[in-house]
Every structure is written in structure tokens, then in C-alpha cells.
Amino acid sequence: MEMLRDIKSMTLAELKEAFSGAGLPAYRAGQVFSWLGRGVESFEEMTNLPRALRDSLKDNYYISVAALEKKQVSRYDNTVKYLFRLNDGERVESVLMQYHYGLSQCISTQVGCRMGCTFCATGQSGFSRNLTASEMLAQIQAAQKDAGERVSHLVLMGMGEPLDNYDNVLRFLRLVSAEEGLNLGMRHISLSTCGLVDQIARLAEERLQLTLSISLHAPNDEIRSRTMPVNRRWGVDELLRACRDYAKKTGRRISFEYAMIAGVNDSEACARELAAKLKGMLCHVNLIPVNDVTGSGYRRSSAGQLERFSKALQSRGIPVTVRRTLGSDIDASCGQLRRRHEKEANCIDSVQ
Ligand code: SAH
Ligand code: SF4
């Protein structure tokens, strides 16, 4: 059988080209693009297309869907965690958070991750494959459908390393921000990376107005290489150089994520070292108490230690926030729900 083409990953221009190659008028491409943007899950639903066209689309293309497999709602806040099943049966997670400014969704960019960070559930459960642009869009459409409300903000901070799936992520960013598509402003999108320096440099050249978020988690190579294998390839200083360059080229403030792990990276000496290295950079540090999800024995820093660390940065002119831990009762760090799901599946397997 001929391979079906992923129609929801196509831009409007690409659709028009493909349609004109098939002798179809351009406005048909516009109609199809608009249906796809509205999240239809079959060609049958494209009711303003002639039957013959719907049939021929079905013979040549497929539509990516994120089917809702499991949903957990936090008792403490309105955070919702989804487990979605993709067309080929792979599963990814996504989290929906309610803020005063609207709905913010955290989406996955890969099934698993190759980066192997020791504190991360996704990193510890291996890599399966990259997500296509359409599968990233499908996560948003499924959440919007469930919530009955538009998602206004987006973070690429779910499962996977977005810059390890550069082409699909860039395609997704262009699609999701397209006026004829979901029309989400780049300024409402954050991309989080563990620090693939070569790809950060590449992204800087795109001059996008999104927020680059760096999972730093340590002020020096000695500590960072222990928890983040990627640091053995590109060290802290090299990473920070790429960040300065990114901020200069895009004019955008860099956001540094820093998971506070008791006795590992949370001393005042660490804070001082970090402040010295970030000095003069257009940036902001986000402190997050680490979630012990990998059984690695990492404990979150105490409230007092968090406070001291934060003060030490602030007094040296570095803007700091302590991230609210949303949905703490529903494993709201990505990678956790899928892992639990697999464990349960394994249990069932072993009983049979
Ligand atoms: N791969 C990208 C984006 C996905 S990870 C990245 O690493 O940035 C999303 C965020 O969750 C990252 O900042 C990551 O460091 C953080 N994270 C992963 N496991 C965590 C844990 N157990 N506790 C706190 N933060 C964690
Ligand atoms: Fe991958 Fe990010 Fe997890 Fe590291 S923290 S393993 S880069 S998903």
C-alpha cells in the first residue's frame, strides 16, 4: 500500500501546491486547512467538500489524532493531566493549567527522550520516536475539545527534548502561530531545552519571538554533568555563551529553570556562582523544588533553603521566581503518568 501523507503537518502553502498538482482549485486547500485547524478527526467531517474529494483525500492522506486515554484532575487546583494515544498506539502526556490570563498547555515533543537526565521520569524511560508537527497540534486540539475553551499559552516542556526534534518542532511553531491555523502568538509560547548548544544557535537565527527556557539546574560542570549527561558534550560556560547570543539576537529574556535538589545544587555557594555567571544577561531564574520521580533518592530543598538561594540571587540583581507546583497530587511532571501507566500495564501482563 502506498504511504499515506500526514496532512495536518502541511502548511497552507504546501497544501495548495499539492492540490494544484492534483488539478484542484486553491480554495479547496483553504477549506481543508481550516477544517484541520478546527480539529476534525476524519475527512468525512469536511462537509463542504464534494464526496469524491473526501474519498480521494482519504486514499492519500491521514489525520493525526490525540485520543484521550486517561485524564487526571487535581483536587488542589484546576490542573488537568492527559494521557493521549496517537494513531500508532504510542502514548504521550500533556498538562493543562489554569492561570488568570487563560489556559496554558504543556505539550510533549517526543515519545520519550534521549537525554537521560537522572532526575527525570521521561529521561529514565528511554526514547521511542519523534513527534510530528501534527501530533503536537493534536494534543492542543484534544485538550481544547475537552476543556471547551481555547488554549492561549503554550509551553514545550512535556515529554521529550524539543531541540532534538528540531525540524518537526519548527514546523509545528509555524503552523500553530499561523493566522489561518490556531493563531497562537509566538510571545505566548515557551520552548524548554536541556541545552543543545548547536540547535540553540540555529534557533537564534530564526529570530522567533518565543521564550527560550533553559533547564540549567546547576552553576558548574561538576554538578551539572552528574545529573545531565548533555553537559558532557556542552559545558555550562558554552551553554551560557549561546544564551547570551540568543538574547542579543532575539531581544528576548532567557528563562533559566533550576530544580532545587537538597544537598546537590542548593547551597548558597551555588547561588553565588550562578549569579556571577548570569551577571549582565537578559534573564530570569525559575526555582522549582525537585520532584523525586526516578527513585534516585533526590530530595527537594527545604523552604528555608529555597528562600536563602532565592535571596542570594536577588541581592545580586538576578530576577527570581519560585514556581508554583501545580497539580502536585496528579504526577503533574511530564513523564510520570506514562510511566505509571506502563507499570500498571506490566503488572497486568505479569498476572496473565
Ligand atoms: N527536555 C526539555 C523539556 C522537557 S523537561 C528540557 O529538559 O528542558 C521539562 C522540565 O521539567 C525541564 O526543565 C526539566 O529539567 C524539568 N524536570 C524534569 N524532571 C523533573 C523533576 N523530577 N523535578 C523537577 N523538574 C523536573
Ligand atoms: Fe529529556 Fe528534558 Fe527529561 Fe532531560 S529533563 S531527560 S532533556 S525530557
Side-chain angles (χ1 to χ4, degrees):
M1 203 180 86
E2 219 185 306
M3 278 272 276
L4 298 182
R5 201 166 164 195
D6 174 9
I7 196 166
K8 206 154 71 182
S9 286
M10 294 168 73
T11 62
L12 180 55
E14 287 167 343
L15 260 184
K16 281 183 180 162
E17 201 183 303
F19 275 33
S20 99
L24 291 161
Y27 78 92
R28 290 290 184 208
Q31 288 175 319
V32 169
F33 192 80
S34 156
W35 280 115
L36 293 169
R38 278 182 270 165
V40 298
E41 302 193 343
S42 74
F43 295 107
E44 278 313 299
E45 292 167 67
M46 302 183 176
T47 47
N48 58 356
L49 303 187
R51 147 108 359 244
L53 177 53
R54 276 183 266 166
D55 286 344
S56 116
L57 288 175
K58 203 163 26 187
D59 290 340
N60 293 289
Y61 298 94
Y62 74 92
I63 302 177
S64 280
V65 174
L68 184 55
E69 179 145 308
K70 193 164 171 178
K71 173 182 170 183
Q72 285 178 283
V73 184
S74 171
R75 263 173 283 139
Y76 306 134
D77 47 58
N78 289 317
T79 301
V80 181
K81 178 147 181 161
Y82 298 107
L83 184 67
F84 292 126
R85 196 180 60 256
L86 307 173
N87 292 43
D88 68 348
E90 290 282 12
R91 295 179 178 88
V92 291
E93 294 175 359
S94 186
V95 176
L96 198 59
M97 294 152 288
Q98 209 143 47
Y99 290 100
H100 62 275
Y101 51 72
L103 280 185
S104 175
Q105 187 175 5
C106 173
I107 64 161
S108 293
T109 56
Q110 296 180 315
V111 185
C113 183
R114 302 196 293 176
M115 300 298 140
C117 303
T118 57
F119 46 78
C120 174
T122 305
Q124 293 302 302
S125 50
F127 176 77
S128 174
R129 67 171 175 83
N130 282 328
L131 293 192
T132 60
S134 61
E135 289 171 328
M136 299 175 217
L137 288 171
Q139 295 172 60
I140 305 173
Q141 293 170 327
Q144 287 188 154
K145 197 159 123 190
D146 180 65
E149 196 185 322
R150 182 172 180 266
V151 168
S152 62
H153 291 69
L154 204 59
V155 294
L156 276 60
M157 225 192 226
M159 298 166 62
E161 167 49 50
L163 296 187
D164 186 37
N165 184 15
Y166 190 92
D167 292 340
N168 289 328
V169 164
L170 257 283
R171 174 174 281 276
F172 162 74
L173 291 172
R174 305 231 184 264
L175 283 169
V176 81
S177 59
E179 235 173 89
E180 314 84 358
L182 293 185
N183 198 12
L184 235 135
M186 281 286 183
R187 285 171 177 271
H188 288 183
I189 303 177
S190 294
L191 183 152
S192 179
T193 175
C194 64
L196 301 181
V197 166
D198 53 349
Q199 305 303 311
I200 292 172
R202 199 172 159 199
L203 188 66
E205 298 307 323
E206 317 267 359
R207 303 288 199 280
L208 301 176
Q209 286 300 296
L210 54 76
T211 299
L212 183 65
S213 180
I214 304 286
S215 299
L216 191 60
H217 306 323
N220 59 50
D221 291 338
E222 197 256 310
I223 302 176
R224 195 165 193 263
S225 292
R226 260 194 273 157
T227 52
M228 303 183 72
V230 66
N231 197 71
R232 293 173 209 148
R233 173 82 194 273
W234 293 284
V236 171
D237 294 344
E238 209 176 344
L239 173 56
L240 294 182
R241 250 198 315 278
C243 291
R244 279 180 203 278
D245 187 56
Y246 186 93
K248 204 182 305 160
K249 285 195 168 132
T250 61
R252 303 285 294 165
R253 184 180 296 272
I254 306 276
S255 171
F256 289 102
E257 305 296 314
Y258 198 101
M260 297 283 287
I261 313 176
V264 174
N265 64 359
D266 66 342
S267 68
E268 281 183 79
C270 282
R272 285 193 295 271
E273 192 177 357
L274 183 61
K277 290 194 180 173
L278 298 185
K279 200 167 172 200
M281 196 190 311
L282 183 60
C283 73
H284 162 265
V285 175
N286 201 358
L287 300 176
I288 318 136
V290 79
N291 243 322
D292 179 24
V293 291
T294 56
S296 51
Y298 294 138
R299 293 272 154 259
R300 53 177 53 181
S301 308
S302 67
Q305 201 55 34
L306 219 82
E307 182 68 24
R308 278 189 288 278
F309 197 94
S310 158
K311 284 242 169 74
L313 287 178
Q314 270 167 328
S315 67
R316 288 168 178 79
I318 310 288
V320 185
T321 48
V322 177
R323 195 199 281 170
R324 281 199 292 158
T325 42
L326 290 170
S328 50
D329 57 329
I330 53 167
D331 307 326
S333 273
C334 279
Q336 297 177 39
L337 183 65
R338 173 168 169 263
R339 222 152 92 117
R340 173 170 298 183
H341 192 86
E342 277 167 3
K343 272 196 195 140
E344 281 166 6
N346 286 343
C347 287
I348 294 165
D349 281 344
S350 62
V351 172
Q352 281 169 345

Short mmCIF file of all heavy atoms in Angstrom, two decimals, residues 109-110 112-125 157-162 164 192-196 215 217 227-230 334-335, ligand 2:
data_model
loop_
_atom_site.label_atom_id
_atom_site.label_comp_id
_atom_site.label_asym_id
_atom_site.label_seq_id
_atom_site.Cartn_x
_atom_site.Cartn_y
_atom_site.Cartn_z
N THR A 109 6.97 16.72 22.88
CA THR A 109 7.54 16.85 21.53
C THR A 109 8.17 15.55 21.03
O THR A 109 8.52 15.44 19.86
CB THR A 109 8.62 17.96 21.51
OG1 THR A 109 9.61 17.66 22.50
CG2 THR A 109 8.00 19.33 21.81
N GLN A 110 8.35 14.59 21.95
CA GLN A 110 8.86 13.27 21.55
C GLN A 110 8.17 12.21 22.42
O GLN A 110 7.65 12.52 23.48
CB GLN A 110 10.37 13.17 21.82
CG GLN A 110 11.23 14.12 21.00
CD GLN A 110 12.72 13.98 21.30
OE1 GLN A 110 13.13 13.89 22.45
NE2 GLN A 110 13.53 13.95 20.25
N GLY A 112 9.17 9.79 24.77
CA GLY A 112 10.40 9.53 25.50
C GLY A 112 11.42 10.62 25.24
O GLY A 112 11.08 11.70 24.72
N CYS A 113 12.65 10.36 25.60
CA CYS A 113 13.72 11.35 25.42
C CYS A 113 15.06 10.64 25.44
O CYS A 113 15.23 9.66 26.14
CB CYS A 113 13.66 12.39 26.54
SG CYS A 113 14.89 13.71 26.36
N ARG A 114 16.01 11.16 24.65
CA ARG A 114 17.32 10.51 24.58
C ARG A 114 18.33 11.11 25.54
O ARG A 114 19.48 10.68 25.57
CB ARG A 114 17.88 10.66 23.16
CG ARG A 114 16.96 10.08 22.10
CD ARG A 114 17.69 9.90 20.81
NE ARG A 114 18.06 11.18 20.21
CZ ARG A 114 18.78 11.29 19.11
NH1 ARG A 114 19.23 10.20 18.50
NH2 ARG A 114 19.07 12.48 18.62
N MET A 115 17.94 12.14 26.29
CA MET A 115 18.92 12.92 27.03
C MET A 115 19.32 12.34 28.39
O MET A 115 20.35 12.71 28.94
CB MET A 115 18.44 14.36 27.18
CG MET A 115 18.21 15.06 25.85
SD MET A 115 19.74 15.19 24.91
CE MET A 115 19.18 14.84 23.26
N GLY A 116 18.47 11.50 28.93
CA GLY A 116 18.87 10.73 30.12
C GLY A 116 19.13 11.50 31.40
O GLY A 116 19.93 11.03 32.24
N CYS A 117 18.51 12.64 31.62
CA CYS A 117 18.72 13.36 32.88
C CYS A 117 18.28 12.47 34.05
O CYS A 117 17.23 11.83 33.98
CB CYS A 117 17.93 14.67 32.89
SG CYS A 117 18.35 15.74 31.50
N THR A 118 19.09 12.44 35.10
CA THR A 118 18.88 11.44 36.16
C THR A 118 17.65 11.71 37.02
O THR A 118 17.13 10.80 37.64
CB THR A 118 20.10 11.35 37.09
OG1 THR A 118 20.33 12.65 37.63
CG2 THR A 118 21.33 10.88 36.36
N PHE A 119 17.18 12.96 37.05
CA PHE A 119 16.03 13.30 37.90
C PHE A 119 14.71 13.17 37.14
O PHE A 119 13.65 13.35 37.73
CB PHE A 119 16.17 14.74 38.43
CG PHE A 119 16.56 15.71 37.34
CD1 PHE A 119 15.62 16.17 36.44
CD2 PHE A 119 17.89 16.13 37.19
CE1 PHE A 119 15.97 17.03 35.42
CE2 PHE A 119 18.25 16.99 36.17
CZ PHE A 119 17.29 17.44 35.27
N CYS A 120 14.76 12.87 35.86
CA CYS A 120 13.57 12.99 35.00
C CYS A 120 12.97 11.63 34.64
O CYS A 120 13.67 10.74 34.15
CB CYS A 120 13.96 13.75 33.74
SG CYS A 120 12.65 13.82 32.51
N ALA A 121 11.67 11.51 34.86
CA ALA A 121 10.97 10.25 34.58
C ALA A 121 11.02 9.91 33.09
O ALA A 121 11.23 8.76 32.71
CB ALA A 121 9.52 10.34 35.05
N THR A 122 10.85 10.94 32.25
CA THR A 122 10.89 10.70 30.80
C THR A 122 12.28 10.22 30.39
O THR A 122 12.42 9.25 29.65
CB THR A 122 10.56 11.99 30.01
OG1 THR A 122 9.31 12.49 30.47
CG2 THR A 122 10.49 11.73 28.54
N GLY A 123 13.28 10.92 30.89
CA GLY A 123 14.66 10.60 30.53
C GLY A 123 15.06 9.20 30.96
O GLY A 123 15.88 8.54 30.31
N GLN A 124 14.46 8.73 32.03
CA GLN A 124 14.82 7.42 32.55
C GLN A 124 14.04 6.29 31.89
O GLN A 124 14.33 5.13 32.09
CB GLN A 124 14.63 7.38 34.08
CG GLN A 124 15.61 8.29 34.83
CD GLN A 124 17.07 7.97 34.55
OE1 GLN A 124 17.52 6.86 34.76
NE2 GLN A 124 17.81 8.95 34.04
N SER A 125 13.00 6.66 31.10
CA SER A 125 12.25 5.56 30.49
C SER A 125 12.54 5.39 29.00
O SER A 125 11.83 4.70 28.28
CB SER A 125 10.75 5.70 30.76
OG SER A 125 10.30 6.99 30.44
N MET A 157 7.33 21.70 27.07
CA MET A 157 8.02 21.31 28.28
C MET A 157 7.51 19.96 28.78
O MET A 157 7.66 19.61 29.93
CB MET A 157 7.75 22.36 29.35
CG MET A 157 8.97 22.77 30.10
SD MET A 157 8.54 23.73 31.55
CE MET A 157 9.71 25.06 31.39
N GLY A 158 6.84 19.24 27.89
CA GLY A 158 6.35 17.91 28.26
C GLY A 158 7.43 16.88 28.02
O GLY A 158 8.61 17.14 28.23
N MET A 159 7.01 15.70 27.56
CA MET A 159 8.00 14.66 27.30
C MET A 159 8.84 15.04 26.09
O MET A 159 8.31 15.53 25.09
CB MET A 159 7.28 13.34 27.02
CG MET A 159 6.46 12.87 28.19
SD MET A 159 5.34 11.56 27.71
CE MET A 159 6.51 10.34 27.20
N GLY A 160 10.14 14.79 26.21
CA GLY A 160 11.00 14.97 25.05
C GLY A 160 11.82 16.24 25.07
O GLY A 160 11.56 17.17 25.83
N GLU A 161 12.83 16.25 24.22
CA GLU A 161 13.72 17.40 24.09
C GLU A 161 13.40 18.06 22.74
O GLU A 161 13.74 17.52 21.68
CB GLU A 161 15.18 16.93 24.15
CG GLU A 161 16.21 17.94 23.72
CD GLU A 161 16.05 19.31 24.36
OE1 GLU A 161 15.91 19.42 25.58
OE2 GLU A 161 16.04 20.30 23.60
N PRO A 162 12.71 19.22 22.77
CA PRO A 162 12.24 19.82 21.51
C PRO A 162 13.36 20.08 20.50
O PRO A 162 13.15 19.91 19.31
CB PRO A 162 11.58 21.13 21.96
CG PRO A 162 11.73 21.24 23.43
CD PRO A 162 12.26 19.96 23.97
N ASP A 164 15.93 18.37 20.01
CA ASP A 164 16.40 17.11 19.43
C ASP A 164 15.42 16.65 18.33
O ASP A 164 15.60 15.60 17.72
CB ASP A 164 16.50 16.05 20.55
CG ASP A 164 17.11 14.75 20.07
OD1 ASP A 164 18.04 14.80 19.23
OD2 ASP A 164 16.66 13.67 20.51
N SER A 192 11.37 24.80 26.05
CA SER A 192 12.34 24.43 27.09
C SER A 192 13.34 23.42 26.56
O SER A 192 12.97 22.43 25.93
CB SER A 192 11.57 23.85 28.28
OG SER A 192 12.46 23.45 29.30
N THR A 193 14.62 23.68 26.81
CA THR A 193 15.66 22.76 26.34
C THR A 193 16.68 22.46 27.43
O THR A 193 16.95 23.30 28.28
CB THR A 193 16.38 23.32 25.09
OG1 THR A 193 17.45 22.43 24.74
CG2 THR A 193 16.96 24.70 25.35
N CYS A 194 17.26 21.26 27.35
CA CYS A 194 18.31 20.88 28.30
C CYS A 194 19.64 21.51 27.89
O CYS A 194 20.62 21.40 28.61
CB CYS A 194 18.42 19.36 28.36
SG CYS A 194 18.93 18.65 26.80
N GLY A 195 19.67 22.15 26.71
CA GLY A 195 20.90 22.86 26.33
C GLY A 195 21.67 22.27 25.17
O GLY A 195 22.88 22.05 25.28
N LEU A 196 21.00 22.01 24.05
CA LEU A 196 21.70 21.57 22.84
C LEU A 196 22.24 22.82 22.15
O LEU A 196 21.52 23.49 21.40
CB LEU A 196 20.75 20.78 21.93
CG LEU A 196 20.12 19.54 22.56
CD1 LEU A 196 19.20 18.83 21.57
CD2 LEU A 196 21.19 18.58 23.05
N SER A 215 16.91 24.49 30.87
CA SER A 215 16.95 23.68 32.08
C SER A 215 18.40 23.63 32.55
O SER A 215 19.17 22.81 32.09
CB SER A 215 16.44 22.28 31.79
OG SER A 215 15.10 22.36 31.35
N HIS A 217 19.78 23.98 36.11
CA HIS A 217 19.84 23.08 37.28
C HIS A 217 21.18 22.98 38.00
O HIS A 217 21.30 22.19 38.95
CB HIS A 217 19.37 21.66 36.93
CG HIS A 217 18.01 21.59 36.30
ND1 HIS A 217 16.96 22.41 36.65
CD2 HIS A 217 17.53 20.80 35.30
CE1 HIS A 217 15.89 22.10 35.92
NE2 HIS A 217 16.21 21.16 35.09
N THR A 227 24.07 15.15 36.83
CA THR A 227 22.63 14.91 36.65
C THR A 227 22.19 14.99 35.19
O THR A 227 21.17 14.42 34.82
CB THR A 227 21.81 15.93 37.46
OG1 THR A 227 22.27 17.23 37.15
CG2 THR A 227 21.94 15.69 38.95
N MET A 228 22.95 15.71 34.36
CA MET A 228 22.54 15.91 32.97
C MET A 228 23.66 15.51 32.01
O MET A 228 24.59 16.28 31.77
CB MET A 228 22.15 17.39 32.75
CG MET A 228 21.04 17.85 33.68
SD MET A 228 20.51 19.56 33.37
CE MET A 228 19.63 19.40 31.81
N PRO A 229 23.57 14.32 31.43
CA PRO A 229 24.62 13.83 30.52
C PRO A 229 24.94 14.80 29.38
O PRO A 229 26.09 14.85 28.93
CB PRO A 229 24.03 12.52 29.97
CG PRO A 229 23.03 12.08 31.00
CD PRO A 229 22.50 13.32 31.64
N VAL A 230 23.95 15.58 28.93
CA VAL A 230 24.19 16.51 27.81
C VAL A 230 25.32 17.48 28.14
O VAL A 230 26.01 17.98 27.25
CB VAL A 230 22.90 17.29 27.46
CG1 VAL A 230 22.47 18.24 28.57
CG2 VAL A 230 23.05 18.08 26.15
N CYS A 334 5.76 15.95 33.62
CA CYS A 334 5.55 15.06 32.48
C CYS A 334 6.46 13.85 32.54
O CYS A 334 7.57 13.91 33.03
CB CYS A 334 5.74 15.82 31.18
SG CYS A 334 4.26 16.74 30.79
N GLY A 335 5.97 12.77 32.03
CA GLY A 335 6.73 11.52 32.05
C GLY A 335 6.28 10.61 33.15
O GLY A 335 6.49 9.40 33.12
FE1 SF4 B 2 14.82 14.81 28.38
FE2 SF4 B 2 14.19 17.18 29.46
FE3 SF4 B 2 13.82 14.90 30.82
FE4 SF4 B 2 16.29 15.77 30.40
S1 SF4 B 2 14.71 16.80 31.59
S2 SF4 B 2 15.60 13.67 30.12
S3 SF4 B 2 16.09 16.64 28.37
S4 SF4 B 2 12.78 15.50 28.97
#
